[in-house]
């Protein structure tokens, strides 16, 4: 069993409208945009990162806004709900705030003894806020969200699968322990993790595979401390029979990817070097940062990428 994985690193989803995406995750949810870059494999498309002050592993929601993609169709073989942790007693605050934003499908519930508010982001992302006592992670604040209410980082991600067996075995191999079951959902927890250390599995044998599109999660990334830990995890996965990519430099972390038995794309990402690698931590996410191999495209990209702050100006 692996010991190097400490919880989630980031969750990456698809989007269509970059300005709407930016507005919702920064202003409505109160996260900090910690990086504004492009998809390294498709540089005509943004890669936007939202998280806590530093973009700490376990807090980072990221999006690829492809201007012409269709809405995703929810199903199996993908991440269902991405949940963020908020302090106890704050779901009333969040419910009022999200209603005022016109957010749809708000639903309060209780599972695993925790209060949860589920909702859909404007482009369909299935999100939830879950009340957690004593989450020690320091939040980013602003836009009318104070330290008493602010999101602490991820609480969990839920996999929707036709068959959970292989994925449960994989999570066990990755250092997760089966914790409990609630309303047909099985929870796995990484003891001693980074706070974003719960994975839920919902088995839906009769539900068709989801279709990737705006509002769908593209992949889940798990955190390891450094490149040595990543190489050890990579070798262990290869030895177990997984097909794992070579190590890829994503500028702010190093990444390897592999497909899980349930069809979900997993990544293992390093905590090093972090988002202050190429800009001052006081100004993270303000300017378009390009990887060295795409710097020659800068003037074209600055002309063609959708301005992010448009929508905020028109709604003021
Ligand atoms: Zn990733």
């Amino acid at each position: 069993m692996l010991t190097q994985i400490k919880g989630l690193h980031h969750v990456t989803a698809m989007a269509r409208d970059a300005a709407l995406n930016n507005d919702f995750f920064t202003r409505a949810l109160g996260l900090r945009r910690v990086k504004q870059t492009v998809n390294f494999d498709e540089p005509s498309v943004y890669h936007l990162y939202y998280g806590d002050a530093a973009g700490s592993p376990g807090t980072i929601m990221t999006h690829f806004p492809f201007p012409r993609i269709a809405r995703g169709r929810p199903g199996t073989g993908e991440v269902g709900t991405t949940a963020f942790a908020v302090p106890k007693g704050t779901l009333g605050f969040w419910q009022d705030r999200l209603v005022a934003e016109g957010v749809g499908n708000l639903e309060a519930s209780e599972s695993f003894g925790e209060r949860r508010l589920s909702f859909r982001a404007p482009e369909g992302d299935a999100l939830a806020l879950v009340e957690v006592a004593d989450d020690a992670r320091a939040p980013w604040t602003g836009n009318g969200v104070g330290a008493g209410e602010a999101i602490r980082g991820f609480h969990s991600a839920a996999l929707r699968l036709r068959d959970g067996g292989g994925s449960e075995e994989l999570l066990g191999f990755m250092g997760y322990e089966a914790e409990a079951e609630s309303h047909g959902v099985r929870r796995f927890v990484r003891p001693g993790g980074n706070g974003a250390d719960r994975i839920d599995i919902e088995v839906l044998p009769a539900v068709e595979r989801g279709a990737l599109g705006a509002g769908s999660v593209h992949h889940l990334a798990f955190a390891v401390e450094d490149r040595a830990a990543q190489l050890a995890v990579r070798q262990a996965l290869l030895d177990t029979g997984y097909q794992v990519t070579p190590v890829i430099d994503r500028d702010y972390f190093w990444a390897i990817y592999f497909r899980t038995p349930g069809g979900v794309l997993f990544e293992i990402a390093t905590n090093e070097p972090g988002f202050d690698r190429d800009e001052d931590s006081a100004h993270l996410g303000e300017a378009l940062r390009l990887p060295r191999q795409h710097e020659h495209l800068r003037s074209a990209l600055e002309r063609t990428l959708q301005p992010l702050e448009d929508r905020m100006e028109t709604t003021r």
Side-chain angles (χ1 to χ4, degrees):
M1 190 188 78
L2 295 167
T3 56
Q4 295 90 344
I5 294 166
K6 300 300 185 190
L8 291 171
H9 185 284
H10 61 272
V11 178
T12 293
M14 308 292 283
R16 180 179 171 119
D17 183 329
L20 177 64
N21 182 262
N22 177 70
D23 180 57
F24 185 76
F25 284 90
T26 60
R27 195 185 48 72
L29 290 187
L31 300 177
R32 184 183 196 189
R33 189 175 73 223
V34 294
K35 194 61 64 181
Q36 182 188 157
T37 184
V38 293
N39 182 318
F40 287 14
D41 304 314
E42 181 57 66
S44 64
V45 170
Y46 276 120
H47 195 179
L48 303 175
Y49 291 79
Y50 312 105
D52 70 358
S56 305
T59 74
I60 317 155
M61 184 84 214
T62 97
H63 283 87
F64 299 135
F66 280 81
R68 282 171 291 280
I69 59 164
R71 210 38 107 71
R73 190 191 68 238
T76 50
E78 63 176 5
V79 173
T81 303
T82 302
F84 296 94
V86 294
K88 280 239 183 215
T90 61
L91 285 190
F93 165 88
W94 282 106
Q95 172 131 8
D96 292 347
R97 185 176 177 88
L98 294 172
V99 166
E101 288 290 330
V103 168
N105 299 80
L106 277 165
E107 191 188 318
S109 62
E110 187 161 334
S111 60
F112 298 101
E114 299 164 329
R115 293 186 61 212
R116 159 183 293 253
L117 182 64
S118 308
F119 57 96
R120 295 267 173 192
E123 295 199 298
D125 305 64
L127 303 178
L129 300 172
V130 181
E131 288 189 353
V132 176
D134 308 322
D135 190 321
R137 295 176 288 176
W140 177 251
T141 58
N143 284 319
V145 183
E149 302 100 22
I151 286 173
R152 266 46 185 175
F154 292 120
H155 167 273
S156 58
L159 311 182
R160 290 160 56 94
L161 307 172
R162 290 187 84 141
D163 176 350
S167 297
E168 294 186 2
E169 194 176 313
L170 171 62
L171 286 173
F173 183 65
M174 290 168 63
Y176 283 75
E177 294 177 0
E179 191 190 60
E181 184 158 344
S182 178
H183 307 294
V185 176
R186 296 192 72 183
R187 172 159 294 173
F188 293 79
V189 176
R190 174 66 174 95
N194 62 9
D197 40 24
R198 307 167 192 85
I199 297 290
D200 292 342
I201 291 189
E202 187 177 9
V203 177
L204 301 161
V207 176
E208 256 186 78
R209 195 174 164 86
L212 189 71
S216 307
V217 169
H218 183 270
H219 63 267
L220 273 191
F222 293 83
V224 292
E225 190 56 37
D226 54 26
R227 296 189 68 193
Q230 183 179 53
L231 287 176
V233 170
R234 181 171 186 274
Q235 191 58 52
L237 288 166
L238 287 170
D239 291 345
T240 312
Y242 284 96
Q243 293 190 6
V244 189
T245 67
V247 176
I248 300 171
D249 181 359
R250 295 303 190 198
D251 276 12
Y252 311 106
F253 47 87
W254 298 82
I256 57 175
Y257 303 85
F258 63 104
R259 186 74 60 180
T260 64
V264 182
L265 185 62
F266 276 10
E267 173 185 345
I268 307 292
T270 57
N271 292 351
E272 59 179 9
F275 293 98
D276 60 357
R277 178 183 174 273
D278 61 354
E279 56 191 347
D280 190 273
S281 51
H283 297 283
L284 291 180
E286 292 174 12
L288 179 66
R289 309 301 307 192
L290 297 174
R292 200 179 322 114
Q293 65 270 30
H294 297 323
E295 192 57 56
H296 67 284
L297 301 172
R298 177 173 289 277
S299 60
L301 292 173
E302 286 177 343
R303 263 197 323 277
T304 53
L305 285 167
Q306 180 187 1
L308 293 181
E309 320 294 349
D310 258 356
R311 187 169 301 268
M312 292 168 84
E313 280 153 27
T314 55
T315 54
R316 262 185 209 126

